[in-house]
Structures are given as structure tokens and as C-alpha cells.
Amino acid sequence: MNNWKTRYAWLREFGEPAPAGTDCPFHTAEAEAEIYNRNRKEDAPRLKPVLDETLPEEAYILKSGGSEIQIKGGSKGVLYGTYAAAGSVTEKVPVPEGLNAPYWSLRMLDSWDNMDGSVERGYAGRSIWFEADRYSYDPARIRQLGRMLASVGINVLCINNVNVHVPAQDLLDGMLDETAAFADLLRPFGVRLMVSVDFSLPLQRGLVSADPLDENVCLWWKNFAERAWKAIPDLAGYLIKADSEHRPGPNTYGRTHPEGANMLARSVAPYGGVVVWRAFVYNCTQDWRDASTDRPCAAYDLYHPLDGQFDENVILQVKYGPFDFQVREPASPLFYGMKNTHLGCELQLAQEYTGQQIDLFAMPALWREIFDSVGTERIHAVAAVGNLGRDACWTGHPFAALNLYAYGRFAWNPGVNPAEIVRSWVRQTYDLPSEQEDALTDMLMKSRSAYEKYTATLGLDWMMRPETHYGPSPYGYEFDVWGTYTRADRDAVGTDRTKTGTGLTEQYPEEQKALYSDSSSCPDELLLFFHRLPYTWRMRDGRTLIQRIYDDHFEGFDEVQKMQKTLADLSLPEPDAQEAAERMNLQLLNAREWRDVINTFFYRLSGIPDEHGRKIWP
Ligand code: GCV
């Protein structure tokens, strides 16, 4: 069922499914404007897209004059401008003036879809385009997807999981024609495909090696690229997870990552393709007894010495923090240190560690922190792991669509203000009285802090259940292989990552190093990420560390209770109202469990009671 209309009210004004039969973004823009004009409210301006090839391909200029909005745009910009104009009309705000062009030219959505139809870390149902080891989709739904992505300027879709499972190796091989047909459906929306490929593919096709310096291997990839780009001339490139979590890579052959990445990059360069090479490399078979190995240091240790060795068309894709999409992390030190490499910043819309599209977690504030501390000029491209699936509302929780919307807006203009984006999404999605619009915006803006308080206060990540990444388990990751230890004992908790400890702070430039190294300047939210401190340690506000841990867990739960009340007072349309209420009930149970398990855990370890005498289980 297509439930798109209830998510984006401006499409309600279009009143029809995404246009079919268009062949390029300009024609899509004309078709969208035609549908809009036919269905618009009487007093709403008409839209008039005009192709202007003197403008950059993705740029547009909106001109509002009386009863018409003229959208002048480059071949793709004209479509982006059409959606932007329709969005402004819905929001009842003036159209943005002047030249509007994206900050980054590569704005990717990475789907972790498997061909059996499952989605790794997917919380919105099964894959929209794969099932039973083949493509399986409704073309109308794929056009809706194209519309959804284009409406916020996302221009590349990576269609398969970075863990490339059989038979996804065939996507650009035995299934090339089907992949080309899929690309045809998205092209009119300005969306190009990317495919995750397996570094060892030549081996599976009968070669004796996948060594990137072996001539036969190079030739094999060259021919592979030639066939792929012949079928899909605008293929964006390959996404690669190599030497990471048991995936094959150049290390098997004693080769470096630049040697592996550049070999592929040279095979796709004649076609303007890129190789997006993930920097998510660490020891995933660590011995927990080994306190000298620290996972957040791993990527910098590996890649920093290789800075400057990657080809121009390689993008080293770095997760925003040095761990793995946690609720709170400092920005990855690679963003500061790799000055001669094209870096991509990888975000995750799928709420793997952030509530699984059950608990509310609006991400714009997190991204703002990362981009502010790194400076966007150091970043060359952006990617986000998708949060979409076959669920009627696409994103599991209807409010999780906010993160997709906000990601597109950030990728277009990383200077945007988080609260404005959230409000924009609320306005474009629901038609609420202004006080309810304020209440929903405010609730979403506070959702990250509430979730952080009950799951990861003071930078204490990784206390969730390892099997599901949902719900509390303070010892779940403690004696495991993943490099994820809080090392809580009866006296202290946290990891010393300063130069007296694992040395992570030394990977940062002076300003960040000074900030994080000193426990008196380190932001509270990262205190136990960078420091190991006794429970009796005095926080800046005079509370003890243990008291702050207790307080945050109680407060986090109380905040969810307040959110529940706010939600109940909103006049949301169905089915959103019911779906959101059901998920909020689950979130409250989750917050309660986190509060009680974590507080009890620390009370039993430390023996220090809550100053306010609240219930903790002895
Ligand atoms: C696709 C984490 C996730 C994995 C994911 C991996 C990655 O470890 O739990 O599911 O694999 O990150 O980003 O490659």
C-alpha cells in the first residue's frame, strides 16, 4: 500500500502517485508541476519549471511573481527546484531566493538490502526491491522512492548490503540487465545507482587470485567495468567493505588499501565512476583482556600513514565517530588528519543503536555537532545507511521519516539549523495547529537527549544487548571480541583514552586534544568516553559521577513519559497517530528497563545509594 501521501502533506496536494513515463529529471519536473497545478488549492501559486542549461546541472533559481513560481534549473536542478517550490507552498513560507545548489555533489543513500529480501539492520520491513534472491518490486513504488529521494536531493542509491552475500555478486554480472532496468526507473528522478561489490569477486569467477597488483585481476576488473557501464552509463560506482568484519580485501595479498582501492578506481575512471572505500576497519576478534588495543584508535592508525596515496576518484568513507554509529561519539579523528584524501562522511539513518525506529531519535542535532566540530570543507561526500523498507509508511515509525528528510536537507546544505529542519518536516508532513506543531517539533528535538540519558549517559556506549542492539545489557559486550568495553568495576568506570591511556586523544589536532584530554574541560557527554573516573568524582555541577548516572536514567524515563503525554495531545492523522502511540508504549517500557537495569548494575557495583532514595534493586 502506498502511504506516501500521509507522510508528506505537500504530496497530498499533488494528489497522485509519482509520474510515470518520464525519461529525465526535466520531464519529471514538468510532470510534477502539471500534477501539482491541476490539484493545487485555488489561492496557491502555479509552478512553472524552465530548463536553463547555463546553470550548473543540479542548481536552480526560484522566482515568485504573483500567481506563479518560476523554477529555472539545470537538467537536474529544475526537478529539485520544483520540489523545493512545492515544499515552500506547503510550509506557507516564502520560496528561497537566489541560486540554490548542493554543497556536496555525491549525496548517497546506502541500503543494506540483501537479495533474499532481508535488510541488515533494517527496522522498516523487508527490502523494497529484492526478494527470493532476485529483483522483486512494484515499479510504481520505485518511482515513489525516486520522488522521495529527489524531493530532498539525494542523488545516489547504493542498492545492496556492503556485506555482499550470494547472489548479490551477480548484480553487475548475471543480473546486469535487471540492474539496468532498475536504474532506468530511478534515472528520471536524478538518482544514480551504486553497487556494493565483493573484493574477491575475481576468485569466484575462476581466477586464482584477487591480488590487486596481479595483471589478470586488473584486466578482469577492467572488463567487468566496461560491461557494467555499457549497460548503465550513469552508474555512480562501487561501494566496498574490505578487510573489515571478515570481508575479503587487499590485506589477504599483503597489499595496502590504496593498492586495492586504486586498482578498482582505475578500472572505473574512464566512465567517471567512483570507488567508495569504507574505513570501518578494526580488530573484530579482540581479546577483552587486552587493554592496549583500543578499537576507536584503529582506523586512524591504519589510514593516517596512507594519506595522499588514494586516487582522485576514491572516496574513503568514514563513519562519523571512531566507534560505530553510537548515540554519542566525538567526530572520527580521520576527518582532521587525512588532509590529502577525499573523505566521505557516513551517517546511519537506520536506528541500529539509536532506538531501532521504535524509540524516537531525531538525528539532526547529532550531525550538526559532527559537522561543526570537523568543518564541512574537510568532507568531500556524504552517505547515510538507509532506514527504508516495505512497511506501509516506509520507515517503521512514521516519525523516522524525519531522519531521511533531514539527511537530504543536510547533504544539500550542511549549514542548516536542526530545529528548522525538524519544523520543516513537521509542516510538510502534518497539518497541525501551530501550538501542536511547536509541541511536536520540540519533542523531536529533545528525543536524542532523552534516549541518550537512559542508554548512554556520559559517553558510556555499548551497554545494549549484543544480539539485537536494543535494550540494556551492561555486561553484554564486556567480555566479547568487539573491542567495546566499559570496564566498570566497584570503584570506577570508563576508559582512559588520553596519552596516559590508549592515546586516542593524541590522534586529534591541538584544539580537540586539549578539550578531550583534560577531564575538567571534556564535555560531560563524552566524559567516560575519554576518561576513567571513580564514582565519587565531582562533576562540574557538584554532583558525584554516580549520582549523575542515576539522575540521567531517572530523567530519561521521565522525559519519555512526558513525550507520551505530548503525543497523546496531538491531532495526528491515522494511521500515524496509532502507530506512533504503539511505538511510544514500547519506548516507555524500554526506557524503564534501561533505567532499572543500569541503575541497579551501578548500585550493586559501587554500593553507593541514590541520594534521593529512589527505587533501585539491591
Ligand atoms: C553491514 C556494524 C553493524 C553491521 C554492519 C557493520 C558495517 O558492525 O552491526 O551490521 O554491517 O557495522 O558498517 O559494515
Side-chain angles (χ1 to χ4, degrees):
M1 181 182 110
N2 166 29
N3 220 355
W4 170 245
K5 284 190 288 179
T6 58
R7 310 304 166 200
Y8 290 87
W10 61 273
L11 284 176
R12 206 180 296 153
E13 298 193 356
F14 287 106
E16 288 183 14
T22 53
D23 55 4
C24 74
F26 173 55
H27 294 148
T28 311
E30 287 183 314
E32 290 283 28
E34 202 272 313
I35 297 169
Y36 166 91
N37 289 335
R38 203 170 349 110
N39 293 291
R40 85 202 147 91
K41 289 186 189 131
E42 242 171 56
D43 56 347
R46 295 177 66 79
L47 302 186
K48 186 166 179 243
V50 180
L51 186 62
D52 181 345
E53 280 171 342
T54 64
L55 289 174
E57 190 189 28
E58 295 198 307
Y60 62 83
I61 299 174
L62 304 182
K63 217 190 234 155
S64 186
S67 58
E68 185 176 277
I69 301 175
Q70 193 196 63
I71 303 132
K72 264 197 193 170
S75 57
K76 292 183 178 173
V78 69
L79 177 61
Y80 297 140
T82 302
Y83 291 126
S88 298
V89 174
T90 306
E91 280 193 59
K92 302 190 185 74
V93 294
V95 294
E97 295 291 332
L99 183 77
N100 218 310
Y103 187 84
W104 286 299
S105 56
L106 218 54
R107 306 179 297 280
M108 301 173 262
L109 190 73
D110 294 352
S111 309
W112 287 354
D113 291 33
N114 298 312
M115 292 204 66
D116 66 2
S118 61
V119 179
E120 183 152 346
R121 311 304 174 190
Y123 310 103
R126 295 181 69 75
S127 169
I128 301 171
W129 51 85
F130 293 139
E131 192 59 69
D133 288 348
R134 57 184 182 84
Y135 280 100
S136 169
Y137 55 80
D138 169 4
R141 178 100 167 160
I142 302 305
R143 286 198 303 276
Q144 299 282 349
L145 173 70
R147 174 187 243 182
M148 178 172 357
L149 301 183
S151 73
V152 288
I154 294 168
N155 63 0
V156 171
L157 175 71
C158 182
I159 52 173
N160 61 313
N161 190 355
V162 287
N163 295 324
V164 186
H165 301 300
V166 179
Q169 283 93 339
D170 276 337
L171 284 169
L172 291 178
D173 202 350
M175 278 183 261
L176 186 55
D177 289 347
E178 287 98 311
T179 303
F182 192 71
D184 289 347
L185 280 173
L186 290 168
R187 186 170 300 110
F189 297 90
V191 178
R192 301 157 73 202
L193 293 196
M194 183 171 280
V195 175
S196 295
V197 299
D198 184 328
F199 193 81
S200 67
L201 196 52
L203 272 183
Q204 294 156 42
R205 296 293 185 265
L207 269 67
V208 291
S209 157
D211 180 350
L213 299 194
D214 179 323
E215 271 180 21
N216 290 328
V217 172
C218 299
L219 185 65
W220 188 91
W221 279 111
K222 195 168 164 278
N223 292 335
F224 183 82
E226 192 181 322
R227 279 197 310 274
W229 264 268
K230 192 162 174 223
I232 312 169
D234 61 351
L235 186 66
Y238 306 148
L239 175 62
I240 322 270
K241 174 172 177 177
D243 293 321
S244 160
E245 296 185 334
H246 311 293
R247 304 314 297 174
N251 287 174
T252 311
Y253 306 95
R255 309 300 183 194
T256 66
H257 279 226
E259 284 169 334
N262 293 346
M263 180 275 294
L264 290 174
R266 285 165 200 169
S267 75
V268 304
Y271 317 102
V274 295
V275 166
V276 178
W277 189 269
R278 298 178 82 232
F280 182 59
V281 181
Y282 66 100
N283 177 3
C284 65
T285 54
Q286 193 180 326
D287 184 340
W288 58 268
R289 299 165 192 84
D290 168 15
S292 65
T293 305
D294 190 22
R295 173 168 164 181
C297 298
Y300 187 95
D301 285 345
L302 172 68
Y303 290 105
H304 188 248
L306 303 172
D307 190 22
Q309 294 184 27
F310 288 97
D311 280 5
E312 281 283 300
N313 62 331
V314 175
I315 289 167
L316 186 67
Q317 185 163 291
V318 180
K319 290 189 180 183
Y320 58 80
F323 256 134
D324 185 11
F325 299 140
Q326 296 300 291
V327 172
R328 179 74 65 166
E329 297 186 50
S332 166
L334 285 173
F335 291 121
Y336 308 93
M338 298 284 283
K339 296 199 165 66
N340 301 303
T341 302
H342 286 157
L343 298 178
C345 178
E346 184 172 339
L347 310 171
Q348 191 187 41
L349 311 179
Q351 291 174 235
E352 177 179 357
Y353 298 103
T354 52
Q356 307 208 342
Q357 287 147 246
I358 297 169
D359 298 28
L360 289 182
F361 192 100
M363 298 180 177
L366 186 163
W367 303 334
R368 175 77 291 132
E369 281 156 23
I370 298 290
F371 292 143
D372 281 353
S373 71
V374 166
T376 49
E377 65 289 349
R378 295 171 199 262
I379 298 172
H380 198 78
V382 271
V385 178
N387 58 355
L388 299 174
R390 244 171 234 241
D391 273 8
C393 80
W394 300 82
T395 51
H397 195 308
F399 296 171
L402 160 69
N403 289 325
L404 177 67
Y405 174 89
Y407 165 62
R409 296 282 307 268
F410 260 86
W412 185 276
N413 172 13
V416 290
N417 172 309
E420 277 171 25
I421 294 271
V422 172
R423 181 174 296 276
S424 212
W425 177 80
V426 168
R427 282 195 168 176
Q428 289 197 25
T429 305
Y430 301 116
D431 193 8
L432 298 172
S434 68
E435 64 287 357
Q436 291 195 24
E437 188 182 291
D438 289 347
L440 179 53
T441 303
D442 186 57
M443 174 171 103
L444 291 167
M445 281 303 290
K446 290 179 175 154
S447 60
R448 189 254 191 136
S449 158
Y451 187 81
E452 179 174 27
K453 282 183 183 167
Y454 61 80
T455 63
T457 181
L458 303 171
L460 269 180
D461 297 318
W462 296 111
M463 292 198 293
M464 79 287 291
R465 295 187 191 118
E467 333 64 76
T468 54
H469 299 181
Y470 189 80
S473 179
Y475 267 149
Y477 270 102
E478 199 58 24
F479 304 106
D480 217 327
V481 292
W482 300 103
T484 45
Y485 318 114
T486 60
R487 302 194 193 279
D489 65 20
R490 64 183 187 171
D491 300 316
V493 57
T495 304
D496 179 3
R497 297 199 158 100
T498 70
K499 67 171 183 252
T500 56
T502 70
L504 176 67
T505 52
E506 306 309 288
Q507 297 183 347
Y508 287 88
E510 275 315 314
E511 186 189 336
Q512 283 73 20
K513 194 199 294 187
L515 181 74
Y516 298 142
S517 295
D518 188 342
S519 52
S520 62
S521 61
C522 184
D524 282 359
E525 295 77 17
L526 288 169
L527 195 60
L528 299 177
F529 187 100
F530 282 110
H531 298 275
R532 177 166 185 80
L533 296 169
Y535 297 113
T536 50
W537 197 81
R538 286 280 161 197
M539 305 289 298
R540 272 181 280 269
D541 63 8
R543 281 183 285 177
T544 58
L545 183 81
I546 187 74
Q547 192 55 42
R548 170 68 188 267
I549 291 176
Y550 294 148
D551 288 350
D552 275 5
H553 285 85
F554 284 113
E555 276 172 29
F557 174 81
D558 293 349
E559 284 169 24
V560 179
Q561 268 187 325
K562 280 194 204 121
M563 294 204 282
Q564 190 175 43
K565 164 99 189 47
T566 305
L567 186 68
D569 290 343
L570 298 178
S571 45
L572 293 172
E574 291 299 352
D576 294 29
Q578 196 189 334
E579 283 172 12
E582 281 167 10
R583 281 169 196 251
M584 184 60 85
N585 289 341
L586 296 175
Q587 176 169 3
L588 194 67
L589 288 176
N590 191 34
R592 176 172 174 268
E593 198 63 5
W594 272 95
R595 177 197 68 186
D596 294 344
V597 170
I598 302 297
N599 281 346
T600 300
F601 172 77
F602 282 112
Y603 173 60
R604 288 182 184 170
L605 270 184
S606 69
I608 304 173
D610 170 42
E611 280 172 9
H612 306 295
R614 290 164 292 193
K615 178 77 182 162
I616 296 180
W617 282 258

